[in-house]
Amino acid sequence: MGAGRMPSTPTAELRAHMGAFLRGEGDARALVEAVRGAELLLPLLGENAVWTTDLEGIRWLFAFTGTREMHTFLQQKWEAAEPGELPAGLARFARYVAVDGEELLLLPVWVERDRVPMGVVVDVPSDARAFLPPVSGIVPDTIAVDRQPVAEGEVATS
């Protein structure tokens, strides 16, 4: 999706579900289904690595419904960085990959080797952001933290 294109219908539906959910009017299942049906953007770092952050034992992958939301996030990162840490103009020239939401929610399976649960946060700088934790109904049950047995040294939640 280019910078000048309008969001796809599935993307507009996702944004509507995100807003409704945060207002307390939404349905969690409908939100997850909207994510699965939308195309999302993942900004790339260096050698095609995607942006993530670790918080309280969960790795969060940043995904965006459009280039404007992604550029806002990258601009905030650039402004908060130490001098020389990130290149000037990062937001304007960021590389990204478009990913089908269904595939995106399977990504934690591919990175399971790190043994760190991974969730997805959509449009993190937005007031209507959506957090999709690595739990059953969102990610496959084989890696959902609420379905995994707790073994020594592993992270699990109830």
Side-chain angles (χ1 to χ4, degrees), residues 7 11-12 16 29 49-50 54 61 95 103 107 117 125-126 130 134 147 155:
T11 302
R29 287 184 187 161
V50 294
D54 291 354
L61 173 73
R95 295 179 323 131
E103 294 176 70
L107 189 60
S126 165
R147 294 288 175 103
V155 176

Side-chain angles (χ1 to χ4, degrees), residues 53-131:
T53 191
D54 291 354
L55 181 63
E56 297 184 18
I58 295 178
R59 182 162 296 146
W60 293 95
L61 173 73
F62 298 110
F64 301 91
T65 57
T67 54
R68 180 181 41 202
E69 292 77 13
M70 182 182 68
H71 289 167
T72 298
F73 166 76
L74 294 173
Q75 185 67 35
Q76 290 171 352
K77 285 289 189 187
W78 178 66
E79 290 170 358
E82 296 293 322
E85 187 177 17
L86 296 173
L90 173 70
R92 276 194 350 205
F93 300 106
R95 295 179 323 131
Y96 62 90
V97 61
V99 178
D100 178 75
E102 184 77 32
E103 294 176 70
L104 181 63
L105 294 180
L106 291 175
L107 189 60
V109 173
W110 303 332
V111 296
E112 185 181 16
R113 69 182 179 277
D114 290 341
R115 308 293 294 163
V116 176
M118 179 181 277
V120 176
V121 59
V122 180
D123 290 349
V124 71
S126 165
D127 289 339
R129 63 189 156 267
F131 287 86

Side-chain angles (χ1 to χ4, degrees), residues 29-54:
R29 287 184 187 161
L31 175 60
V32 172
E33 287 307 310
V35 169
R36 288 187 173 129
E39 178 182 82
L40 295 164
L41 308 179
L42 305 178
L44 299 174
L45 284 170
E47 296 298 316
N48 296 327
V50 294
W51 281 81
T52 63
T53 191
D54 291 354

